[in-house]
Amino acid sequence: MKETVLSRLLRPLFAGGSALGLAALVLPVHAQQAQPTGPIARVEVTGTLIRRAEAETSSSVLTLNRADIERSGKTTVAELLQTLAVDNQGSVPMSFGSGFAAGASGISLRGLGAASTLVLINGRRVAPYGLADDGQKMFADLNIIPSEAIERVEVLKTGASSLYGSDAIAGVVNVILRRDFTGTSARASYGQSEEGDGNDTVVAVAHGFGDIDNDRFNVLMSLEYGKRDEIWYRDRADRGHIGRVDLRNWGYSAQQALGGTGAIIDTNLAGSAINGNVRNPATLEYHNRGNLGPGTGFTRLFPAAACPNFTSHPQGDPLGGCLIDSTLVYNQIQPSQERLNFFARGTMQLNPTWQVYGELNLYNSESESFTTPSGVNANVGFPGGPVSNAAVALGAAHPDNPYFGSAARLRYLAADVGPRGSSIESDFIRFVAGAKGQVAGWEIDTGLLFSQNEVSNERTGFLQRDVAFALLNPTLANMAAAAQNPAYLGLPQGTIWRIAENAGLNSPAMYAALSPTISNDARTRVAQIDLKGTRDFGQLAGGPIGVAVGGEFRREEARLEPTSGTERGNIIGLGYSAYDGARNVGALYAEVLAPVHKTVELSAALRGDHYSDAGDSYTPKFGFKWSPVKSFAARGTYARGFRAPSTAENGVGGLAAFSTATDPLRCGLGVESACDPASVAIITSPNPALSPEKARTINLGVIWDPYPRTNIAVDVWEIKRKNEINQEQIDAAIAGGRVARDPTTADPGIPGDPGQITAVLASYVNSAQSEVRGVDVEFRQGFSVGRVSGFVLDTKWTHLFRWLRTEQDGTSRDFAGTHGNCDVTNCIGTPDDRVNFRLSWERDVWKVSANLNFRGNLKNTFFENDPEGCASHFANGEDAPTGCELPSFTTVDLTLRWMAMPKLEVFGSVQNLFDEIAPLDPLTYGAQAFNPLDTQGAIGRFFNVGVRYRF
């Protein structure tokens, strides 16, 4: 007889070695013993389906209650979670406005990526953000969480695929919102940086009515509005290197990517100048259009193109380029955002044993970010292959061509077009209808979930390749290519693009054809029905056996349209990202909690999943907790996990993006500019043959309360992930020759120079494995100073021993403590030490907290013992930064709360109290000259004040 999907899922769950099998074996032991006479208060804990008397389980769970959130001084949950010591490589900061997932924030536990961290609201899933991080990794946007409605946040720091399914390899963040509330609470706060910008306004109202016990119903509603203004790099010009691409004052050369925009870097290699760099057709050497000196070979001179007419920025390029600090002028530290968040929950007690409930989350966000104007020659890729724009030129008869009579290659920063902008609107909805009750001794919870995220992204300031080529160099071939563009065809015959000093001659119609608004839309959906039940059976020496069983079925959909024009590589400097797919997932799971002795508790869980596109997966988890005395407990878990490929990885679509890499071939030939990291295009296609990732997680720890006000917890953990789904390592693909090059960019003075890399050709692959090992230490101490009591010291420290990734060819790279892995978002590195330290004092109507957040040193190498050595160098050839190491960074935040009246609370905070400046980071691309982990050190001191009134 053919085995059905349901029977395949059921068979392991009821096998003798499974969780239910274990329950069956232990049931008879004390089945006749009397039950306890009094009721025991039980709580729900993330990581187990069984309600229990103690919050401490065999799994390591970090709990942040409302008081902890308030003590942090953060105005959003996203900001708080991304400062946690357990967050690491792969998190998505809101500040990364030019990334694929702009407009959202995501957390990455253990540095395994946002796609491996499951985010839940009240124990159930949410639709992922419509724009995948790096065009690949689907994740939940933390901004959807209404801070005023939060009861607590529980972070499960061990794998949990056995209960929650895919994407819980690294752990789970469960945001638990208020279940009931009566009365009215209003909160308003306003924040501003010491520089007078970045204004942060939050207004929130929560209202609840009805008492479950007396009225048999409760309705809770929360409405929250937030508006955050942008912060420009140019307004931080007094903070040293922050926001600067010109780092010559810090020892870097103008002939590097860190030497200012517009530099002439080498023979046949130049950056985009605000007044234009052009190549001598005879010598292949670049010269600036404003250069009036001899030796250029110009047939026309342009005095109005002189560099001082465009910028007062200090010059000094030895090869004659016109330098500006483009990122300082045009980029932002923080994009603007306006958001509206609504949450409602209604509960009705039908009878003494059954309750129905409903939840509704609505979220709307509008964010806007800007970056530098487009260059005219940036290479791009699309699924059809690489597109080289290196040959863009001023035509032989173009009036702004200093080599009039011959076409001349152009490197121009299109400041006349304006900065590139991105306006993103995100709409999120989550609806749950459920019922809880008791049947035959079972506590039942069932629910129907629908969640959706729709994202619209409009971009301005980007150049149409075909139109730009035709307007600069109107050859028959270029005009024929641009003829498919109706806006170009509507221009008067002979229209050209005048540049730099003559840009005022251009018409609005010309700019509309050259740089129209382009857009794309995305949508994700999750629809789910679930049923679970728990109950106690029998009696063991330590208490009754807890058993839970459940099942769920869900439909997942994700679709991202490519930005108009990128599907054919026609947008200069803008990558391609698109995906479309759907799948069905069915799951059955079971858990047992067996207190085999009054000091020993054993637990086991097993889940079976069937994915319509990835097959079956069975994931067990086993745990123990031993408490020989009340003040001490040892705990441990062993779990298996998996992550099915996302739609972006195995669906229909593809990715063409940008990252940072060196060119070892050209560097070895003597092309010095190729020895330093530079931006490269990467073309990656989905792989339908991908297998699910498989993981094994081990956690061993102790909890010790040696004194009444002393709490210590230490957990050593290891996660091994096989079949890891990754984009191929860029440097490995380059070393393997999987690149496209433009031979016309070769240095004629170096024999065998193949020219610059236009694109790296990669694919999504199942890498061999990653192994992450570390330790978490938590310490809490209450104390008094003289007669003053109420002090609490709280420390959380995460240390990585290793973050080892092994490729299919057997080569291994340890990223712990280095600036790698630069193939994941931002290239923020993998700190091996992160610490959260809080010293607080609470007494009567006062609450004061000082919060210290620490990020450890980072070696400025792509991985440990990288044979290529330091990733960046000073102008004199020495390793950069000094010692090839980014210094550690620490900020201190101060919060104060005062109950001015019984119903009125006044609060305030100072972020980055000592106004520390983030260390210089020359490698990251998620921020300019500083690490995105240190964003508060770029913003500077920030003040926030507010009030809360309870009616």
Side-chain angles (χ1 to χ4, degrees):
M1 183 176 69
K2 184 177 179 180
E3 188 175 36
T4 66
V5 171
L6 180 61
S7 64
R8 288 203 308 270
L9 291 173
L10 284 170
R11 178 166 42 82
L13 291 177
F14 291 96
S18 72
L20 288 182
L22 176 60
L25 289 174
V26 299
L27 273 176
V29 178
H30 294 287
Q32 304 303 317
Q33 290 190 4
Q35 297 293 327
T37 57
I40 300 175
R42 294 175 178 262
V43 296
E44 296 180 15
V45 181
T46 301
T48 177
L49 301 176
I50 301 170
R51 292 171 62 91
R52 48 189 293 122
E54 297 181 52
E56 292 290 354
T57 69
S58 58
S59 299
S60 178
V61 179
L62 170 63
T63 301
L64 303 169
N65 57 32
R66 288 180 60 83
D68 293 322
I69 297 171
E70 291 173 349
R71 291 187 193 104
S72 72
K74 305 298 183 184
T75 57
T76 68
V77 177
E79 288 179 312
L80 173 61
L81 292 178
Q82 289 183 343
T83 62
L84 296 180
V86 293
D87 182 49
N88 210 297
Q89 165 192 247
S91 59
V92 183
M94 184 67 192
S95 59
F96 192 23
S98 59
F100 276 103
S105 298
I107 185 172
S108 171
L109 297 177
R110 308 306 191 195
L112 291 173
S116 293
T117 301
L118 179 62
V119 176
L120 307 172
I121 293 181
N122 288 344
R124 287 187 170 94
R125 290 174 173 265
V126 299
Y129 188 56
L131 305 178
D133 181 36
D134 285 339
Q136 170 196 2
K137 308 171 188 72
M138 311 292 288
F139 69 99
D141 180 12
L142 299 174
N143 293 319
I144 64 175
I145 300 167
S147 58
E148 187 66 15
I150 291 176
E151 184 67 34
R152 66 185 185 277
V153 178
E154 293 182 344
V155 181
L156 178 66
K157 297 184 287 184
T158 60
S161 293
S162 60
L163 294 179
Y164 300 111
S166 184
D167 44 351
I169 285 179
V172 178
V173 176
N174 187 13
V175 181
I176 300 169
L177 304 180
R178 290 176 171 179
R179 304 296 176 91
D180 59 72
F181 175 71
T182 57
T184 302
S185 173
R187 172 174 62 96
S189 66
Y190 178 78
Q192 188 178 86
S193 77
E194 191 172 52
E195 303 292 335
D197 56 9
N199 301 343
D200 188 3
T201 302
V202 179
V203 179
V205 177
H207 178 65
F209 57 94
D211 183 271
I212 287 291
D213 294 330
N214 298 320
D215 303 320
R216 299 177 60 185
F217 77 92
N218 179 260
V219 176
L220 159 68
M221 294 178 289
S222 172
L223 181 65
E224 184 172 301
Y225 168 82
K227 186 177 187 297
R228 179 171 292 178
D229 293 343
E230 69 278 357
I231 298 177
W232 297 92
Y233 280 129
R234 58 178 176 258
D235 294 325
R236 296 298 183 275
D238 60 344
R239 294 185 71 81
H241 56 270
I242 297 298
R244 298 180 184 271
V245 71
D246 184 355
L247 298 175
R248 290 173 296 159
N249 287 342
W250 289 267
Y252 294 85
S253 167
Q255 274 57 63
Q256 298 180 26
L258 299 170
T261 300
I264 296 175
I265 301 168
D266 209 339
T267 301
N268 205 10
L269 181 61
S272 298
I274 195 170
N275 58 347
N277 289 324
V278 288
R279 189 179 73 163
N280 187 325
T283 66
L284 305 186
E285 293 181 343
Y286 276 92
H287 300 279
N288 188 260
R289 288 181 63 253
N291 190 339
L292 303 180
T296 61
F298 287 171
T299 59
R300 283 185 175 180
L301 298 178
F302 295 90
C307 188
N309 292 338
F310 294 87
T311 178
S312 59
H313 188 74
Q315 298 303 303
D317 177 4
L319 298 183
C322 178
L323 300 181
I324 67 167
D325 206 318
S326 59
T327 56
L328 189 68
V329 175
Y330 296 104
N331 283 27
Q332 297 170 318
I333 299 176
Q334 173 180 288
S336 64
Q337 185 190 36
E338 192 169 10
R339 62 188 187 276
L340 188 65
N341 213 320
F342 175 78
F343 170 70
R345 178 182 171 92
T347 307
M348 177 174 288
Q349 193 74 39
L350 299 179
N351 55 48
T353 59
W354 277 95
Q355 182 184 94
V356 294
Y357 60 89
E359 296 176 358
L360 177 64
N361 295 80
L362 299 174
Y363 171 77
N364 173 265
S365 167
E366 295 182 4
S367 62
E368 188 173 37
S369 60
F370 291 93
T371 186
T372 56
S374 177
V376 295
N377 64 298
N379 299 319
V380 295
F382 72 110
V387 177
S388 174
N389 294 316
V392 63
L394 290 172
H398 195 290
D400 299 329
N401 183 0
Y403 295 104
F404 194 80
S406 302
R409 288 198 175 185
L410 174 68
R411 300 295 182 256
Y412 175 57
L413 187 72
D416 58 308
V417 175
R420 289 168 290 176
S422 180
S423 298
I424 296 178
E425 182 172 5
S426 174
D427 289 292
F428 172 83
I429 182 173
R430 176 181 177 271
F431 173 75
V432 176
K436 291 182 178 181
Q438 297 181 2
V439 176
W442 287 86
E443 294 185 14
I444 305 297
D445 189 356
T446 183
L448 181 66
L449 162 73
F450 175 79
S451 184
Q452 176 178 281
N453 181 231
E454 292 184 322
V455 179
S456 174
N457 188 2
E458 291 191 347
R459 300 174 187 264
T460 57
F462 288 85
L463 307 181
Q464 302 275 320
R465 180 186 189 274
D466 50 10
V467 176
F469 274 53
L471 291 175
L472 291 171
N473 186 15
T475 64
L476 292 177
N478 285 345
M479 290 190 294
Q484 60 183 305
N485 190 311
Y488 173 77
L489 288 179
L491 295 176
Q493 189 173 3
T495 298
I496 57 174
W497 178 13
R498 302 300 301 272
I499 66 171
E501 73 279 10
N502 295 314
L505 301 175
N506 296 319
S507 68
M510 190 281 298
Y511 283 119
L514 174 66
S515 180
T517 298
I518 55 178
S519 63
N520 68 326
D521 296 313
R523 186 185 69 193
T524 61
R525 281 180 177 171
V526 174
Q528 174 180 298
I529 185 171
D530 59 65
L531 172 67
K532 62 184 177 183
T534 67
R535 67 164 298 167
D536 291 342
F537 282 99
Q539 186 76 14
L540 297 178
I545 303 163
V547 175
V549 294
E552 66 184 53
F553 176 83
R554 69 178 183 271
R555 170 78 171 177
E556 300 177 346
E557 300 177 2
R559 175 180 56 84
L560 171 66
E561 300 173 353
T563 302
S564 43
T566 61
E567 75 283 352
R568 57 190 182 96
N570 195 48
I571 308 301
I572 295 175
L574 182 62
Y576 170 91
S577 179
Y579 41 80
D580 189 5
R583 64 186 176 199
N584 297 325
V585 184
L588 294 173
Y589 44 87
E591 182 185 11
V592 62
L593 178 65
V596 296
H597 188 269
K598 61 182 180 180
T599 64
V600 179
E601 174 184 286
L602 302 179
S603 60
L606 179 66
R607 182 185 180 102
D609 286 90
H610 175 73
Y611 280 71
S612 60
D613 62 342
D616 300 335
S617 181
Y618 301 100
T619 47
K621 183 174 183 177
F622 304 95
F624 77 90
K625 181 183 175 186
W626 175 51
S627 305
V629 294
K630 188 175 181 179
S631 62
F632 178 86
R635 63 185 177 190
T637 57
Y638 172 89
R640 293 282 182 177
F642 82 106
R643 184 179 77 84
S646 72
T647 297
E649 294 162 338
N650 71 352
V652 177
L655 171 68
F658 299 90
S659 189
T660 303
T662 58
D663 187 344
L665 176 58
R666 299 188 76 211
C667 179
L669 291 174
V671 182
E672 294 184 6
S673 59
C675 301
D676 289 304
S679 177
V680 295
I682 315 163
I683 301 174
T684 312
S685 299
N687 182 357
L690 288 173
S691 300
E693 296 178 347
K694 301 289 185 179
R696 185 207 70 189
T697 304
I698 298 175
N699 190 97
L700 295 173
V702 296
I703 308 165
W704 184 33
D705 302 337
Y707 303 105
R709 293 191 292 175
T710 304
N711 311 106
I712 302 171
V714 180
D715 288 277
V716 179
W717 49 270
E718 179 184 82
I719 301 175
K720 285 189 176 181
R721 181 170 61 177
K722 297 182 178 180
N723 293 334
E724 181 180 349
I725 301 171
N726 283 308
Q727 187 181 75
E728 288 181 278
Q729 288 278 351
I730 297 173
D731 55 351
I734 293 174
R738 294 187 294 279
V739 299
R741 295 181 180 273
D742 185 349
T744 66
T745 61
D747 187 331
I750 298 180
D753 182 3
Q756 290 176 263
I757 294 173
T758 57
V760 179
L761 309 177
S763 61
Y764 294 125
V765 296
N766 287 111
S767 301
Q769 72 174 33
S770 290
E771 179 182 332
V772 188
R773 186 182 304 158
V775 60
D776 296 332
V777 177
E778 298 183 23
F779 174 76
R780 183 182 176 91
Q781 176 68 60
F783 62 96
S784 302
V785 178
R787 296 184 178 181
V788 181
S789 59
F791 290 94
V792 175
L793 185 153
D794 193 331
T795 302
K796 296 176 176 64
W797 169 45
T798 293
H799 174 74
L800 291 181
F801 295 116
R802 69 190 309 181
W803 207 115
L804 186 69
R805 174 168 158 179
T806 303
E807 302 298 330
Q808 290 176 314
D809 61 5
T811 58
S812 296
R813 301 170 184 194
D814 188 358
F815 298 126
T818 74
H819 214 309
N821 173 10
C822 276
D823 290 345
V824 299
T825 185
N826 294 303
C827 185
I828 66 173
T830 310
D832 53 10
D833 285 297
R834 294 199 72 179
V835 179
N836 305 130
F837 174 89
R838 184 180 78 233
L839 177 62
S840 61
W841 174 69
E842 298 184 9
R843 189 172 180 181
D844 300 328
V845 297
W846 294 98
K847 298 179 181 179
V848 183
S849 294
N851 306 289
L852 181 149
N853 297 303
F854 170 84
R855 187 258 308 154
N857 298 339
L858 284 175
K859 296 178 182 177
N860 195 36
T861 59
F862 287 109
F863 53 91
E864 185 71 25
N865 299 319
D866 185 351
E868 298 295 328
C870 196
S872 306
H873 298 86
F874 291 120
N876 61 9
E878 294 180 358
D879 291 347
T882 302
C884 195
E885 183 176 85
L886 272 67
S888 62
F889 185 63
T890 303
T891 57
V892 175
D893 305 329
L894 184 67
T895 67
L896 172 68
R897 310 188 79 85
W898 171 47
M899 290 298 299
M901 295 187 294
K903 295 183 178 182
L904 176 65
E905 182 181 37
V906 180
F907 57 88
S909 68
V910 184
Q911 306 288 312
N912 194 2
L913 176 65
F914 299 111
D915 199 24
E916 296 292 331
I917 297 177
L920 193 157
D921 184 342
L923 192 57
T924 183
Y925 58 85
Q928 188 58 48
F930 69 92
N931 197 289
L933 291 171
D934 308 335
T935 297
Q936 198 63 52
I939 294 174
R941 191 179 288 118
F942 196 92
F943 302 93
N944 190 283
V945 295
V947 296
R948 174 184 279 114
Y949 189 82
R950 295 175 176 87
F951 297 91

